[in-house]
Amino acid sequence: MRSSANGTFPDSAPPDSAPRDGFPPDRSPSDRSPSDRARSDRTRSESARELPHLLRVGPFHLALRAALTSRGLPLHRVQHRLAARGIKLGVTSLSYWQQGARRPGRPESLKAVRALEQILELPEGALLRLLAAPDPAAPAAARPPSRSYRALFSVGAVVEELLAGMELPADGGLHTVGHHERVRIGPAGELLGRESQHVVRAHRDGVDRYIAVHHGDPGCDPERIRVRADENCRTGRIRRHPEAELVVAELLFDARLRAGDTYVFGYGFEDGTAGRSSEYVRGFSYTGGQYVLQVRFDEAALPVRWRRFTRSGPGAPRGRLADLNPSGPHRAVHLVEQGVRRGILGIGWDWE
């Protein structure tokens, strides 16, 4: 397993067209399964019920998101309607506004907000009034500094492209409080799968999902890798990139968090599609929080040596090396990091 990532991202309206990476377009309503249509209808109905309250008390980004969802308008369609009014605004900016990652303030941005009120059939000034209130995401002290995916592993640029295609901003509004991860290595030395029990804390209002990234070993088949939503979450959109041997999965929470809230959820990836594995690493965007990694081996394939290590970035040499001893008949090694640092942490092993 070359890399996975501990990055967190909030929700966004799904795109209707294929992103630049060549993935197929999202299904039209007529192509969706009855369960997908029912879930979409429930989401729109819930947003419509929340909208009057959010327009009264805010914050701006949640009110905008509820209006977009209740009207059923994907961001690229909103962009086209703005363009028809002579207003140029990128889909990324719209996404950042509805996530709270950015806040419109320039004259041209406020002009776009006025047009949005018309497009979304809102009372005049409903959104602009909310912008006059203090920004609830303003306190930067509660928001840990982060590193980008590009700084964490070799296919970080591909991950960021996929997230842009899903209309997700770079900061997901979550950071890790605790994470216990179990990795299973099969009889041929292959990565069979991994599972996570994850505790996160929101540093922004309105976060209701997490983005999990699985970067498989050389030769893996992303089309055959299965995503599991085990506890307090369900799978949303999944993007696969065969050339980069990458799977990006959206895990939807059962609740919408406010700043300071914690949430516990479990998920996993079933792989087993590549050859012999020699390490498992995880990239951390934020400092802080506890991380426990346990790697269990099949009795038919036991390495001769195990070591924990860190890396400052993809391709960097291993540092802070320390030998690990397997736990007898359980054929497992583990590491515990009480306060993770930004960067890469992992366990490597030698087969001979």
Side-chain angles (χ1 to χ4, degrees):
M1 172 70 181
R2 282 173 290 181
S3 52
S4 56
N6 192 35
T8 47
F9 294 80
D11 61 320
S12 168
D16 278 7
S17 58
R20 292 188 303 274
D21 51 53
F23 285 96
D26 286 352
R27 294 171 293 176
S28 68
S30 60
D31 293 332
R32 294 175 184 164
S33 68
S35 61
D36 286 343
R37 290 197 297 270
R39 184 161 52 245
S40 177
D41 290 343
R42 284 196 302 271
T43 302
R44 290 183 61 178
S45 178
E46 291 170 1
S47 295
R49 286 196 300 269
E50 294 175 348
L51 182 56
H53 173 74
L54 290 172
L55 289 175
R56 287 195 305 272
V57 303
F60 167 81
H61 71 282
L62 292 185
L64 175 59
R65 185 191 310 172
L68 288 163
T69 303
S70 64
R71 302 296 185 258
L73 282 176
L75 296 187
H76 78 277
R77 292 183 185 170
V78 175
Q79 181 193 37
H80 292 162
R81 295 191 185 189
L82 288 170
R85 288 170 164 79
I87 299 171
K88 289 187 63 176
L89 185 68
V91 167
T92 301
S93 294
L94 281 168
S95 178
Y96 284 178
W97 287 2
Q98 71 158 344
Q99 307 302 338
R102 292 182 185 170
R103 189 173 168 95
R106 296 181 300 174
E108 56 267 34
S109 297
L110 298 179
K111 180 181 177 182
V113 173
R114 282 192 289 269
L116 283 172
E117 292 173 347
Q118 299 171 6
I119 292 169
L120 298 173
E121 302 175 5
L122 301 176
E124 184 177 353
L127 293 176
L128 286 171
R129 181 180 59 80
L130 296 176
L131 288 173
D135 183 0
R143 184 178 182 177
S146 66
R147 294 186 69 183
S148 70
Y149 275 111
R150 293 171 188 257
L152 289 176
F153 56 107
S154 59
V155 293
V158 179
V159 175
E160 292 175 4
E161 284 184 19
L162 299 187
L163 295 175
M166 297 165 75
E167 299 173 353
L168 294 171
D171 171 31
L174 293 170
H175 53 276
T176 292
V177 176
H179 188 177
H180 188 177
E181 188 164 33
R182 298 179 179 87
V183 175
R184 292 173 284 116
I185 304 297
E190 77 279 21
L191 174 71
L192 288 179
R194 62 184 179 94
E195 60 185 32
S196 289
Q197 184 76 10
H198 210 146
V199 184
V200 294
R201 186 186 303 277
H203 53 259
R204 188 171 61 241
D205 288 345
V207 181
D208 64 357
R209 63 198 66 192
Y210 172 86
I211 295 296
V213 178
H214 181 86
H215 184 205
D217 284 311
C220 78
D221 182 358
E223 297 297 335
R224 293 164 51 206
I225 295 172
R226 185 169 65 90
V227 183
R228 297 195 337 259
D230 295 333
E231 182 182 6
N232 297 331
C233 65
R234 62 189 188 278
T235 54
R237 292 167 290 175
I238 298 175
R239 297 291 186 262
R240 306 174 194 272
H241 199 294
E243 291 78 13
E245 297 167 330
L246 188 71
V247 179
V248 174
E250 184 181 51
L251 299 168
L252 308 175
F253 296 165
D254 297 327
R256 182 171 288 175
L257 308 182
R258 299 193 67 84
D261 287 350
T262 56
Y263 195 77
V264 180
F265 62 106
Y267 64 94
F269 290 86
E270 295 298 324
D271 194 336
T273 66
R276 180 182 277 187
S277 182
S278 60
E279 67 176 25
Y280 182 86
V281 301
R282 173 163 286 274
F284 293 91
S285 300
Y286 297 103
T287 59
Q290 183 194 70
Y291 177 63
V292 179
L293 171 61
Q294 182 181 40
V295 184
R296 185 181 299 274
F297 295 83
D298 189 281
E299 62 182 354
L302 292 178
V304 297
R305 187 181 186 186
W306 297 261
R307 286 185 293 182
R308 62 170 288 164
F309 63 89
T310 62
R311 285 198 189 105
S312 59
R318 293 179 176 182
R320 297 175 59 198
L321 291 165
D323 288 332
L324 299 174
N325 296 315
S327 56
H330 302 292
R331 304 180 303 278
V333 291
H334 75 277
L335 62 80
V336 179
E337 194 79 1
Q338 293 294 348
V340 298
R341 305 176 185 180
R342 288 176 293 167
I344 297 168
L345 177 64
I347 294 177
W349 49 90
D350 299 325
W351 291 108
E352 54 188 37

